[in-house]
Amino acid sequence: TMTVTLPGNEPLAAFGWTGAYYNNTGLSGGVAATRQDGPVLAFAWPGAPAAGVNADYFSVRWTMTLESAGGAYQFNTRHDDGARLYIDGALVLDTWWDQMPASYSVSRTLSAGAHALAYDYYHTYAGAVAQLPLRDRPTRRRGDPRPGGRDLRQRGNHAAHDIEVEL
């Protein structure tokens, strides 16, 4: 569990993304690999995303639980080929088509408590990009000395997915 406490805000807990990787673009058949991908999805793969997974023509379903104090959230993603974002089982972003790397955004107000997030992604060929970073974006008030949002991405075997959270 990762818990982030922001000055003047309630804690935000993210339990991390679990990825189920498939050797096709349709999230079907047997799972080729499963792994814990951490609290931030930030990938730019030059080859296969995981052992046993194709370098091209693969798909991933990432799932996680976001524990929120409630508020407005902006989810920003950058990906090539298709992606879908679900919040509590409702489809909120659908860009499920072949495309060059592109950025998309959707805003939602979430109630306090646990929320199920799912992010589906598929890649056809050439470099694969899937980005949905987790970032806090506290609302600034006049006279508030806090800086704007801080990047909460982990360094290491990650590339980029954006979830921007405004509290």
Side-chain angles (χ1 to χ4, degrees):
T1 300
M2 176 186 80
T3 302
V4 178
T5 304
L6 307 173
N9 290 297
E10 295 297 320
L12 169 69
F15 298 97
W17 294 97
T18 300
Y21 293 75
Y22 298 83
N23 277 324
N24 59 67
T25 59
L27 300 164
S28 61
V31 174
T34 302
R35 70 179 188 198
Q36 297 299 313
D37 284 326
V40 176
L41 296 178
F43 294 100
W45 295 287
V53 179
N54 301 334
D56 291 321
Y57 299 97
F58 68 89
S59 55
V60 186
R61 172 167 288 141
W62 284 286
T63 57
M64 74 172 288
T65 299
L66 176 69
E67 189 66 38
S68 167
Y73 286 72
Q74 183 174 345
F75 297 86
N76 299 312
T77 181
R78 180 168 173 74
H79 55 271
D80 73 329
D81 296 321
R84 293 180 179 137
L85 177 64
Y86 298 85
I87 302 174
D88 295 328
L91 180 63
V92 298
L93 180 72
D94 188 0
T95 60
W96 201 255
W97 57 79
D98 293 358
Q99 60 188 307
M100 297 298 293
S103 297
Y104 299 92
S105 180
V106 63
S107 297
R108 291 292 183 270
T109 299
L110 299 180
S111 62
H115 296 276
L117 303 181
Y119 185 67
D120 293 347
Y121 166 79
Y122 83 87
H123 171 69
T124 54
Y125 60 90
V129 175
Q131 303 174 341
L132 190 62
L134 179 58
R135 212 175 272 176
D136 75 280
R137 303 268 322 252
T139 301
R140 294 187 66 175
R141 293 176 185 83
R142 180 171 279 174
D144 187 345
R146 290 179 297 167
R150 290 168 296 174
D151 191 344
L152 301 177
R153 278 184 276 206
Q154 287 186 346
R155 303 294 178 223
N157 188 22
H158 297 285
H161 278 311
D162 282 342
I163 298 178
E164 291 191 19
V165 182
E166 294 191 16
L167 300 174

